[in-house]
Amino acid sequence: MKYKTKEEFLDTVVDNYKDQKEFHQAVEEVVHSIWDTAVANPEYGKFNILDRIVVPDRTIIFRVPWMDDNNEVHVNLGYRIQFNSAIGPYKGGLRFHPSVDLGILKFLAFEQVLKNSLTGLNLGGGKGGSNFDPKGKSDKEIMNFCYAFMNELYRHIGRRTDIPAGDIGVGGREIGYMFGQYKKIRNAFTGVLTGKGTNWGGSVIRPEATGYGLVYFVVEMLKMRDDSLDGKIATVSGSGNVAQFACEKLIELGAKPVTLSDSGGFIYDPDGITQEKLEYVKELKGVRSARISDYAKKYNVEYFEGKRPWSIKCDIALPCATQNELNFDDAKELLENGCFVVAEGANMPSTTNAVRHFIDKKILYGPGKAANAGGVAISGIEMSQNSTRIPLKRDKVDGLLKEIMQRIHTTCVKYGSKDDFINYVDGANIGGFVRVADSMIDQGIV
Ligand code: NDP
Ligand code: 2IT
């Protein structure tokens, strides 16, 4: 092993990528978990896996010029990080949000490598997107932007190379426009993107998969304490794709979600968000600029402007909005109010100190790369349906999703159990890492 301590290694990552603080955060968490495993296996040292695993295969940055409805020309930055392909073609979402930069996409792509490994499928890791802000844009502007983005991205992706999907700001509509443009340029109808419409190669349950899978993971965690979702109060943040379908599954399985949020604030509905109210949220949030505060007006509940929902008493908290949306103070308050399960629908929503607090207090804490892997897993199932050209039925795909979430949970237990506590962070990181590292060794120095 080239490094004597993990701190020595982590210092090199910080030095090499000075401005990429989210990337440092993600690498630090992983290295804390995998260090002993990395040191114990001399092959990992010999093949210098640590240095290699934190450097993407390639990073593509490009100009995206597009015209708005007033004929003004804008330029955004487009990115695709192809991080690791040891176990499969690059796979991961595209994010359109003004905060997008290299540090954020590198953290997401790095997490994706280990997440995809945990699914047990043959999926490498990647991530991409743009600092484009979809809020307030007309449908035509969104279409123009998606076309412009694909005008460059098409040359870097392909069904055997790199298969993007959605993430924040990218849903079925955007995937449709990008797919159309890819098909036009390449003159090829292939499964190059996932999250497609079911009429043209998309899988049933893909839109639901991240949120449903998250709740299936929570069910597995609760089983470890002979407990179930029945009657549990859940706080959920976000109100987009992941949050909506997490709520839906919570309701179906007998729990009571009481909050939703967006970048403006959160709503608290002590009577519980019902399926009917959720249908309203789905319709409302179908328009990207819509605000969750409208829910408070419609159902006469409280809206907390500029706040996040972690002060509300609950048994289960599901952060489903964005990175670093739950800090140490939030973690303390949650636990003081009796919360004993935190599972992440979003990627890295809890800060480093919040995660330490959850582990110190030995609650059931499911990190994103395990708990939200259902989305990419069903993307993998969409890819296999595209290859065979045989679409699967809803029950079959839902069954696969459950099976994969259970398998991920088993992997976390296998690698994360110590005494009578399951450290899901260690379990997910080690479980994800070993498969990628061993595959890299099998393939030599490439
Ligand atoms: P959506 O765009 O559908 O929804 C995002 C939600 O998060 C919106 O409610 C949005 O509010 C809120 N949000 C976004 N950025 C911020 C911010 N900076 N501060 C506060 N709120 C914010 O995205 P998804 O639901 O798809 O993604 C949510 C999270 O889940 C992300 O972390 C994503 O990486 C992760 N994820 C997504 C998967 C998928 O399949 N889609 C799979 C696995 C993880 P507003 O409308 O005000 O911006
Ligand atoms: O973070 C994620 O796992 C996603 N945005 C989904 C990726 C995918 O390829 O389905």
Side-chain angles (χ1 to χ4, degrees):
M1 171 64 71
K2 185 172 153 192
Y3 301 98
K4 291 199 177 55
T5 62
K6 54 187 156 194
E7 286 71 25
E8 191 190 334
F9 170 69
L10 288 169
D11 283 348
T12 68
V13 175
V14 174
D15 278 354
N16 287 342
Y17 312 106
K18 290 206 168 45
D19 300 328
Q20 300 173 5
K21 60 182 190 319
E22 291 86 0
F23 180 58
H24 305 158
Q25 185 183 338
V27 171
E28 189 185 328
E29 185 212 274
V30 170
V31 170
H32 277 299
S33 293
I34 65 168
W35 182 257
D36 290 347
T37 308
V39 171
N41 185 338
E43 290 285 288
Y44 293 161
K46 181 174 151 203
F47 282 88
N48 199 3
I49 292 296
L50 276 188
D51 272 342
R52 288 167 63 200
I53 209 164
V54 296
V55 181
D57 288 356
R58 66 191 64 78
T59 299
I60 301 147
I61 306 183
F62 52 95
R63 181 180 66 232
V64 187
W66 59 281
M67 195 179 263
D68 69 17
D69 289 345
N70 299 316
N71 296 333
E72 254 186 67
V73 176
H74 302 264
V75 177
N76 285 97
L77 288 176
Y79 302 83
R80 187 72 184 164
I81 320 281
Q82 298 181 331
F83 214 109
N84 190 300
S85 60
I87 62 169
Y90 308 107
K91 181 85 196 87
L94 296 169
R95 177 177 290 192
F96 291 170
H97 192 272
S99 64
V100 161
D101 64 16
L102 198 52
I104 287 183
L105 292 180
K106 274 183 66 184
F107 114 65
L108 287 163
F110 181 68
E111 290 279 292
Q112 198 82 44
V113 172
L114 302 176
K115 181 195 305 191
N116 293 2
S117 167
L118 284 170
T119 65
L121 304 174
N122 283 108
L123 302 170
K127 200 87 186 189
S130 174
N131 59 356
F132 172 74
D133 185 0
K135 283 204 190 74
K137 303 294 189 294
S138 70
D139 188 59
K140 187 169 152 227
E141 288 171 331
I142 297 283
M143 186 169 75
N144 284 345
F145 181 80
C146 288
Y147 286 175
F149 186 77
M150 190 51 84
N151 282 343
E152 174 60 32
L153 187 70
Y154 85 93
R155 70 183 86 246
H156 307 290
I157 62 175
R159 74 189 169 103
R160 295 204 176 93
T161 315
D162 184 355
I163 304 93
D167 194 79
I168 292 176
V170 177
R173 173 181 59 164
E174 291 76 15
I175 293 293
Y177 293 146
M178 286 191 272
F179 183 81
Q181 187 71 342
Y182 181 88
K183 182 163 59 73
K184 177 112 186 155
I185 297 171
R186 290 268 192 191
N187 194 22
F189 191 109
T190 71
V192 66
L193 295 162
T194 59
K196 299 184 291 296
T198 47
N199 284 329
W200 39 281
S203 177
V204 288
I205 309 261
R206 176 60 191 90
E208 295 90 336
T210 312
Y212 281 14
L214 172 67
V215 177
Y216 292 150
F217 195 83
V218 170
V219 169
E220 294 306 306
M221 292 168 94
L222 285 166
K223 276 191 204 158
M224 302 308 290
R225 299 197 179 174
D226 294 322
D227 207 341
S228 78
L229 276 175
D230 200 32
K232 298 286 186 302
I233 307 284
T235 48
V236 178
S237 68
S239 48
N241 172 272
V242 179
Q244 288 172 16
F245 290 106
C247 267
E248 186 158 290
K249 192 51 81 176
L250 285 172
I251 298 166
E252 190 191 321
L253 299 184
K256 184 157 104 171
V258 293
T259 66
L260 283 171
S261 74
D262 61 22
S263 53
F266 79 93
I267 61 102
Y268 174 42
D269 188 342
D271 294 336
I273 297 160
T274 58
Q275 187 64 36
E276 188 192 330
K277 293 171 180 172
L278 189 60
E279 292 306 326
Y280 166 75
V281 174
K282 287 184 194 170
E283 207 183 306
L284 177 75
K285 285 289 181 172
V287 181
R288 290 212 177 273
S289 312
R291 300 292 79 206
I292 197 67
S293 54
D294 286 356
Y295 180 110
K297 285 184 210 133
K298 184 168 168 72
Y299 294 110
N300 198 22
V301 299
E302 249 185 301
Y303 172 65
F304 297 81
E305 191 165 340
K307 297 245 160 39
R308 296 175 298 208
W310 315 129
S311 59
I312 301 298
K313 187 174 163 51
C314 64
D315 305 299
I316 300 170
L318 303 180
C320 296
T322 194
Q323 65 275 355
N324 292 326
E325 56 161 322
L326 195 166
N327 63 27
F328 178 67
D329 290 339
D330 299 325
K332 260 177 47 183
E333 195 168 6
L334 274 172
L335 270 50
E336 277 160 18
N337 283 333
C339 173
F340 69 101
V341 183
V342 176
E344 297 179 338
N347 287 305
M348 208 168 74
S350 310
T351 62
T352 307
N353 288 340
V355 173
R356 290 218 177 109
H357 191 62
F358 295 146
I359 289 171
D360 286 349
K361 298 292 175 190
K362 301 198 166 178
I363 66 156
L364 293 169
Y365 166 64
K369 65 171 74 66
N372 73 34
V376 74
I378 299 306
S379 279
I381 301 302
E382 180 168 324
M383 287 160 64
S384 68
Q385 293 171 76
N386 293 160
S387 297
T388 60
R389 303 187 189 286
I390 301 172
L392 300 176
K393 299 228 158 56
R394 201 177 163 90
D395 281 357
K396 174 74 186 163
V397 178
D398 196 32
L400 286 168
L401 175 60
K402 243 181 237 163
E403 216 174 274
I404 292 170
M405 296 316 293
Q406 284 166 351
R407 193 160 69 209
I408 295 172
H409 186 270
T410 304
T411 303
C412 290
V413 174
K414 175 178 170 192
Y415 289 101
S417 297
K418 207 171 178 186
D419 306 325
D420 59 349
F421 175 62
I422 303 163
N423 183 329
Y424 287 87
V425 176
D426 285 352
N429 286 333
I430 299 169
F433 168 76
V434 167
R435 181 172 173 220
V436 174
D438 291 351
S439 305
M440 287 170 74
I441 289 171
D442 289 345
Q443 293 166 29
I445 317 287
V446 288

PDB file of all heavy atoms in Angstrom, residues 260-277:
ATOM      1  N   LEU A 260     -43.655  17.293   2.824  1.00  0.00           N
ATOM      2  CA  LEU A 260     -43.000  17.335   1.510  1.00  0.00           C
ATOM      3  C   LEU A 260     -42.344  18.711   1.428  1.00  0.00           C
ATOM      4  O   LEU A 260     -42.755  19.639   2.129  1.00  0.00           O
ATOM      5  CB  LEU A 260     -44.011  17.181   0.368  1.00  0.00           C
ATOM      6  CG  LEU A 260     -44.555  15.773   0.090  1.00  0.00           C
ATOM      7  CD1 LEU A 260     -45.710  15.838  -0.909  1.00  0.00           C
ATOM      8  CD2 LEU A 260     -43.452  14.848  -0.455  1.00  0.00           C
ATOM      9  N   SER A 261     -41.341  18.855   0.565  1.00  0.00           N
ATOM     10  CA  SER A 261     -40.679  20.159   0.498  1.00  0.00           C
ATOM     11  C   SER A 261     -40.241  20.477  -0.928  1.00  0.00           C
ATOM     12  O   SER A 261     -40.320  19.631  -1.813  1.00  0.00           O
ATOM     13  CB  SER A 261     -39.449  20.164   1.424  1.00  0.00           C
ATOM     14  OG  SER A 261     -38.407  19.405   0.857  1.00  0.00           O
ATOM     15  N   ASP A 262     -39.783  21.684  -1.115  1.00  0.00           N
ATOM     16  CA  ASP A 262     -39.025  22.030  -2.318  1.00  0.00           C
ATOM     17  C   ASP A 262     -38.031  23.117  -1.916  1.00  0.00           C
ATOM     18  O   ASP A 262     -37.858  23.377  -0.705  1.00  0.00           O
ATOM     19  CB  ASP A 262     -39.919  22.403  -3.512  1.00  0.00           C
ATOM     20  CG  ASP A 262     -40.800  23.620  -3.259  1.00  0.00           C
ATOM     21  OD1 ASP A 262     -40.473  24.433  -2.364  1.00  0.00           O
ATOM     22  OD2 ASP A 262     -41.815  23.744  -3.960  1.00  0.00           O
ATOM     23  N   SER A 263     -37.408  23.757  -2.889  1.00  0.00           N
ATOM     24  CA  SER A 263     -36.362  24.709  -2.524  1.00  0.00           C
ATOM     25  C   SER A 263     -36.929  25.939  -1.813  1.00  0.00           C
ATOM     26  O   SER A 263     -36.182  26.724  -1.245  1.00  0.00           O
ATOM     27  CB  SER A 263     -35.558  25.115  -3.763  1.00  0.00           C
ATOM     28  OG  SER A 263     -36.439  25.567  -4.761  1.00  0.00           O
ATOM     29  N   GLY A 264     -38.269  26.091  -1.799  1.00  0.00           N
ATOM     30  CA  GLY A 264     -38.872  27.235  -1.114  1.00  0.00           C
ATOM     31  C   GLY A 264     -39.191  26.994   0.350  1.00  0.00           C
ATOM     32  O   GLY A 264     -39.228  27.929   1.143  1.00  0.00           O
ATOM     33  N   GLY A 265     -39.442  25.742   0.727  1.00  0.00           N
ATOM     34  CA  GLY A 265     -39.837  25.446   2.107  1.00  0.00           C
ATOM     35  C   GLY A 265     -40.527  24.096   2.179  1.00  0.00           C
ATOM     36  O   GLY A 265     -40.444  23.306   1.249  1.00  0.00           O
ATOM     37  N   PHE A 266     -41.223  23.825   3.322  1.00  0.00           N
ATOM     38  CA  PHE A 266     -41.912  22.539   3.419  1.00  0.00           C
ATOM     39  C   PHE A 266     -43.339  22.685   3.931  1.00  0.00           C
ATOM     40  O   PHE A 266     -43.670  23.672   4.593  1.00  0.00           O
ATOM     41  CB  PHE A 266     -41.117  21.548   4.281  1.00  0.00           C
ATOM     42  CG  PHE A 266     -41.216  21.720   5.776  1.00  0.00           C
ATOM     43  CD1 PHE A 266     -42.173  21.025   6.520  1.00  0.00           C
ATOM     44  CD2 PHE A 266     -40.331  22.555   6.452  1.00  0.00           C
ATOM     45  CE1 PHE A 266     -42.253  21.166   7.904  1.00  0.00           C
ATOM     46  CE2 PHE A 266     -40.406  22.699   7.837  1.00  0.00           C
ATOM     47  CZ  PHE A 266     -41.382  21.998   8.567  1.00  0.00           C
ATOM     48  N   ILE A 267     -44.161  21.700   3.614  1.00  0.00           N
ATOM     49  CA  ILE A 267     -45.531  21.652   4.139  1.00  0.00           C
ATOM     50  C   ILE A 267     -45.599  20.553   5.181  1.00  0.00           C
ATOM     51  O   ILE A 267     -44.900  19.541   5.083  1.00  0.00           O
ATOM     52  CB  ILE A 267     -46.590  21.397   3.034  1.00  0.00           C
ATOM     53  CG1 ILE A 267     -46.359  20.060   2.326  1.00  0.00           C
ATOM     54  CG2 ILE A 267     -46.625  22.534   2.035  1.00  0.00           C
ATOM     55  CD1 ILE A 267     -47.231  18.939   2.722  1.00  0.00           C
ATOM     56  N   TYR A 268     -46.430  20.787   6.216  1.00  0.00           N
ATOM     57  CA  TYR A 268     -46.639  19.789   7.264  1.00  0.00           C
ATOM     58  C   TYR A 268     -48.127  19.488   7.334  1.00  0.00           C
ATOM     59  O   TYR A 268     -48.930  20.377   7.632  1.00  0.00           O
ATOM     60  CB  TYR A 268     -46.126  20.343   8.600  1.00  0.00           C
ATOM     61  CG  TYR A 268     -46.416  19.461   9.789  1.00  0.00           C
ATOM     62  CD1 TYR A 268     -46.267  18.073   9.711  1.00  0.00           C
ATOM     63  CD2 TYR A 268     -46.841  20.000  11.004  1.00  0.00           C
ATOM     64  CE1 TYR A 268     -46.541  17.255  10.809  1.00  0.00           C
ATOM     65  CE2 TYR A 268     -47.101  19.191  12.107  1.00  0.00           C
ATOM     66  CZ  TYR A 268     -46.946  17.815  11.992  1.00  0.00           C
ATOM     67  OH  TYR A 268     -47.215  17.007  13.078  1.00  0.00           O
ATOM     68  N   ASP A 269     -48.464  18.253   7.014  1.00  0.00           N
ATOM     69  CA  ASP A 269     -49.862  17.821   7.010  1.00  0.00           C
ATOM     70  C   ASP A 269     -50.025  16.739   8.080  1.00  0.00           C
ATOM     71  O   ASP A 269     -49.832  15.551   7.812  1.00  0.00           O
ATOM     72  CB  ASP A 269     -50.218  17.273   5.614  1.00  0.00           C
ATOM     73  CG  ASP A 269     -51.696  16.984   5.476  1.00  0.00           C
ATOM     74  OD1 ASP A 269     -52.382  16.878   6.517  1.00  0.00           O
ATOM     75  OD2 ASP A 269     -52.165  16.862   4.334  1.00  0.00           O
ATOM     76  N   PRO A 270     -50.371  17.136   9.315  1.00  0.00           N
ATOM     77  CA  PRO A 270     -50.407  16.177  10.430  1.00  0.00           C
ATOM     78  C   PRO A 270     -51.419  15.051  10.224  1.00  0.00           C
ATOM     79  O   PRO A 270     -51.256  13.966  10.781  1.00  0.00           O
ATOM     80  CB  PRO A 270     -50.791  17.028  11.644  1.00  0.00           C
ATOM     81  CG  PRO A 270     -51.189  18.352  11.133  1.00  0.00           C
ATOM     82  CD  PRO A 270     -50.738  18.500   9.725  1.00  0.00           C
ATOM     83  N   ASP A 271     -52.434  15.273   9.384  1.00  0.00           N
ATOM     84  CA  ASP A 271     -53.409  14.200   9.107  1.00  0.00           C
ATOM     85  C   ASP A 271     -52.850  13.158   8.150  1.00  0.00           C
ATOM     86  O   ASP A 271     -53.451  12.101   7.964  1.00  0.00           O
ATOM     87  CB  ASP A 271     -54.688  14.785   8.492  1.00  0.00           C
ATOM     88  CG  ASP A 271     -55.426  15.669   9.485  1.00  0.00           C
ATOM     89  OD1 ASP A 271     -55.219  15.469  10.708  1.00  0.00           O
ATOM     90  OD2 ASP A 271     -56.172  16.559   9.036  1.00  0.00           O
ATOM     91  N   GLY A 272     -51.733  13.492   7.521  1.00  0.00           N
ATOM     92  CA  GLY A 272     -51.118  12.554   6.589  1.00  0.00           C
ATOM     93  C   GLY A 272     -51.419  12.910   5.140  1.00  0.00           C
ATOM     94  O   GLY A 272     -52.512  13.361   4.806  1.00  0.00           O
ATOM     95  N   ILE A 273     -50.416  12.710   4.294  1.00  0.00           N
ATOM     96  CA  ILE A 273     -50.593  12.933   2.861  1.00  0.00           C
ATOM     97  C   ILE A 273     -51.241  11.651   2.309  1.00  0.00           C
ATOM     98  O   ILE A 273     -50.655  10.581   2.391  1.00  0.00           O
ATOM     99  CB  ILE A 273     -49.234  13.215   2.189  1.00  0.00           C
ATOM    100  CG1 ILE A 273     -48.637  14.509   2.766  1.00  0.00           C
ATOM    101  CG2 ILE A 273     -49.369  13.283   0.671  1.00  0.00           C
ATOM    102  CD1 ILE A 273     -47.160  14.659   2.575  1.00  0.00           C
ATOM    103  N   THR A 274     -52.450  11.796   1.810  1.00  0.00           N
ATOM    104  CA  THR A 274     -53.174  10.620   1.295  1.00  0.00           C
ATOM    105  C   THR A 274     -52.862  10.443  -0.192  1.00  0.00           C
ATOM    106  O   THR A 274     -52.283  11.323  -0.830  1.00  0.00           O
ATOM    107  CB  THR A 274     -54.687  10.829   1.436  1.00  0.00           C
ATOM    108  OG1 THR A 274     -55.015  12.031   0.707  1.00  0.00           O
ATOM    109  CG2 THR A 274     -55.108  10.973   2.893  1.00  0.00           C
ATOM    110  N   GLN A 275     -53.317   9.323  -0.754  1.00  0.00           N
ATOM    111  CA  GLN A 275     -53.105   9.088  -2.187  1.00  0.00           C
ATOM    112  C   GLN A 275     -53.756  10.211  -3.011  1.00  0.00           C
ATOM    113  O   GLN A 275     -53.183  10.681  -3.995  1.00  0.00           O
ATOM    114  CB  GLN A 275     -53.673   7.719  -2.577  1.00  0.00           C
ATOM    115  CG  GLN A 275     -53.362   7.297  -4.010  1.00  0.00           C
ATOM    116  CD  GLN A 275     -51.860   7.104  -4.266  1.00  0.00           C
ATOM    117  OE1 GLN A 275     -51.123   6.641  -3.415  1.00  0.00           O
ATOM    118  NE2 GLN A 275     -51.408   7.507  -5.452  1.00  0.00           N
ATOM    119  N   GLU A 276     -54.920  10.650  -2.563  1.00  0.00           N
ATOM    120  CA  GLU A 276     -55.625  11.697  -3.308  1.00  0.00           C
ATOM    121  C   GLU A 276     -54.815  12.997  -3.300  1.00  0.00           C
ATOM    122  O   GLU A 276     -54.645  13.654  -4.329  1.00  0.00           O
ATOM    123  CB  GLU A 276     -56.994  11.905  -2.660  1.00  0.00           C
ATOM    124  CG  GLU A 276     -57.903  12.815  -3.439  1.00  0.00           C
ATOM    125  CD  GLU A 276     -59.130  13.205  -2.603  1.00  0.00           C
ATOM    126  OE1 GLU A 276     -59.559  12.398  -1.746  1.00  0.00           O
ATOM    127  OE2 GLU A 276     -59.623  14.334  -2.807  1.00  0.00           O
ATOM    128  N   LYS A 277     -54.292  13.340  -2.126  1.00  0.00           N
ATOM    129  CA  LYS A 277     -53.475  14.558  -2.035  1.00  0.00           C
ATOM    130  C   LYS A 277     -52.196  14.403  -2.854  1.00  0.00           C
ATOM    131  O   LYS A 277     -51.694  15.350  -3.466  1.00  0.00           O
ATOM    132  CB  LYS A 277     -53.136  14.870  -0.572  1.00  0.00           C
ATOM    133  CG  LYS A 277     -54.342  15.273   0.275  1.00  0.00           C
ATOM    134  CD  LYS A 277     -53.943  15.331   1.747  1.00  0.00           C
ATOM    135  CE  LYS A 277     -55.098  15.739   2.650  1.00  0.00           C
ATOM    136  NZ  LYS A 277     -54.760  15.603   4.081  1.00  0.00           N
TER     137      LYS A 277
END
